[in-house]
Amino acid sequence: MWDIIQVTNSSDKKDIINLRKIVFSGEDVDKEQEEYWDWEFKNNFYGTAELFSAKKNAATIGHYAIIPQKFQIQGNEYTAGLVVDVMTHPDYRKQGMFYSISKFALGATHTDFTIGYPIREDV
């Protein structure tokens, strides 16, 4: 099995980027750059993203990111979380990781609600 953790600093950045290279091979290669990662997750306009990883023997085998966003709904401001870069290493697919990591992440997030926009046909 694996352990799910909340990533609290940038120490896992390289592991997450390497997982991205495996999971999304050849897609959006600009997102494989550390500068892009910093811009998207660390220096976000509304604050630092909440990152969650699945680990097995210290290797990052799953990832789930929640980027903060601000919404105005009927005159009230809410902090929403945009769920992005949900990844499972190919060797661990169809074993319940998406369910495990999303349940953990949604229970730990500091947002009022989350949104997601699946862009791949298999999702």
Side-chain angles (χ1 to χ4, degrees):
M1 208 53 163
W2 52 77
D3 295 312
I4 310 268
I5 63 163
Q6 183 164 7
V7 179
T8 56
N9 58 45
S10 298
S11 63
D12 286 0
K13 174 174 33 177
K14 289 184 189 219
D15 289 343
I16 293 167
I17 291 171
N18 286 334
L19 179 63
R20 178 178 191 76
K21 289 176 182 178
I22 294 167
V23 173
F24 300 127
S25 178
E27 295 181 38
D28 299 321
V29 293
D30 55 324
K31 293 183 178 184
E32 296 174 3
Q33 305 301 312
E34 288 191 36
E35 295 81 12
Y36 189 96
W37 191 93
D38 288 338
W39 171 81
E40 185 174 26
F41 298 124
K42 188 177 175 186
N43 302 319
N44 183 282
F45 181 75
Y46 291 118
T48 303
E50 295 179 281
L51 306 175
F52 304 88
S53 291
K55 300 274 198 177
K56 182 160 187 173
N57 300 326
T60 299
I61 59 170
H63 180 256
Y64 193 100
I66 302 175
I67 298 174
Q69 305 282 296
K70 295 292 183 188
F71 279 76
Q72 290 282 333
I73 302 172
Q74 297 182 339
N76 297 309
E77 185 173 277
Y78 297 90
T79 299
L82 175 61
V83 176
V84 299
D85 287 10
V86 177
M87 300 181 276
T88 301
H89 189 285
D91 294 344
Y92 296 92
R93 291 184 182 156
K94 300 187 189 268
Q95 298 176 35
M97 182 180 299
F98 174 78
Y99 176 78
S100 297
I101 199 168
S102 63
K103 182 177 177 182
F104 183 93
L106 295 175
T109 188
H110 294 94
T111 60
D112 296 311
F113 60 92
T114 59
I115 56 174
Y117 302 99
I119 59 172
R120 288 176 181 76
E121 188 173 317
D122 54 336
V123 175

